[in-house]
Amino acid sequence: MDPHEVHHWPLYGLRITTPRLELRVPGIALLDELAAVAADEVHDPAEMPFSFPWTDVAPEERGRATFQHVLGTIAEWSPRKWTLSLAVLCEGRVVGRQDMTTGDYAVTREGETGSWLGLAHQGKGIGTKMRAAVLHLAFGELGARAMTTGAMTDNPRSLAVSRKCGYRPDGETVVAVRGAARTVLRMRLDRAGWKAHRTVPVEVHGVGACRGLFGISRG
């Protein structure tokens, strides 16, 4: 990696690792791999697990949109409002994406997680580990008070991951998806719940240089 790239945008030097996974902000080469995973199937076309149906386009368009979206998170980043969009690698291979989004984090110390995995990589326990990784960054390194997430009530896999990590139900929201009403179950995790449900060993590298970008003290 170009050392000047890390110096001017230290988030490229951030690494979150578990025994099987590595999460990091993707450079161009990794982002191209991530876009290829998105271009392949992310879910059964007959289903729609997302509130915004971004997968309802041709594979090439889906990959390009993913590429542009992740670049956009960097272009639009500010310490007051940011989305940390991480490529998830399993044993060196890109398999999906894990995000953390927040606004005024220095004040609220709260954020929201979102993620997806390539269909070929689902059902292997990766979802739980990648969520555990970003939660460790939030609670263990960035001083989070609480984290939220959400999933369709008919998406048992996503809800199961949230429950394993210690989230609790926090109300419901009805959204329009593909012209139909769908119910999203909101989930919330506080610091005590995170501590009580930690089962995945996680290490974070390079976060010190990023604290200013996250809007918190460098101390």
Side-chain angles (χ1 to χ4, degrees):
M1 179 178 293
D2 184 343
H4 296 291
E5 182 180 57
V6 175
H7 175 74
H8 293 293
W9 199 249
L11 287 170
Y12 281 118
L14 179 66
R15 296 285 187 277
I16 312 171
T17 60
T18 77
R20 291 183 62 201
L21 306 183
E22 180 181 26
L23 283 69
R24 65 185 197 238
V25 176
I28 295 300
L30 272 185
L31 183 50
D32 197 56
E33 292 182 36
L34 180 63
V37 177
D40 290 336
E41 290 186 334
V42 175
H43 59 83
D44 185 330
E47 303 173 353
M48 176 46 66
F50 307 115
S51 298
F52 175 71
W54 63 274
T55 52
D56 275 354
V57 294
E60 183 177 355
E61 185 178 348
R62 191 159 61 238
R64 184 179 298 115
T66 297
F67 195 99
Q68 290 182 285
H69 174 77
V70 175
L71 287 179
T73 64
I74 296 171
E76 296 171 3
W77 188 291
S78 79
R80 290 192 60 186
K81 184 178 180 180
W82 47 265
T83 294
L84 179 65
S85 194
L86 301 162
V88 180
L89 292 81
C90 182
E91 299 172 350
R93 181 181 179 186
V94 177
V95 296
R97 194 176 102 203
Q98 175 69 63
D99 288 1
M100 175 181 171
T101 302
T102 187
D104 293 312
Y105 185 78
V107 177
T108 67
R109 295 297 174 113
E110 293 194 5
E112 181 177 7
T113 61
S115 64
W116 55 262
L117 275 171
L119 189 59
H121 309 291
Q122 295 175 18
K124 301 177 181 179
I126 297 174
T128 300
K129 292 177 176 60
M130 59 198 255
R131 183 87 66 87
V134 78
L135 290 175
H136 185 96
L137 173 69
F139 287 106
E141 300 290 342
L142 302 182
R145 296 190 183 100
M147 295 294 291
T148 62
T149 191
M152 300 293 179
T153 52
D154 58 358
N155 188 346
R157 285 187 177 179
S158 180
L159 293 172
V161 168
S162 296
R163 292 189 182 101
K164 286 179 183 177
C165 292
Y167 290 78
R168 294 183 177 181
D170 191 40
E172 296 181 350
T173 303
V174 177
V175 296
V177 182
R178 289 178 170 174
R182 301 283 300 282
T183 302
V184 176
L185 178 61
R186 300 193 304 271
M187 306 284 280
R188 185 178 182 84
L189 175 67
D190 60 20
R191 176 170 288 274
W194 169 68
K195 288 183 176 179
H197 291 80
R198 293 174 64 188
T199 60
V200 179
V202 180
E203 294 184 0
V204 180
H205 311 272
V207 69
C210 304
R211 293 187 184 278
L213 289 172
F214 288 126
I216 60 178
S217 169
R218 291 178 177 272

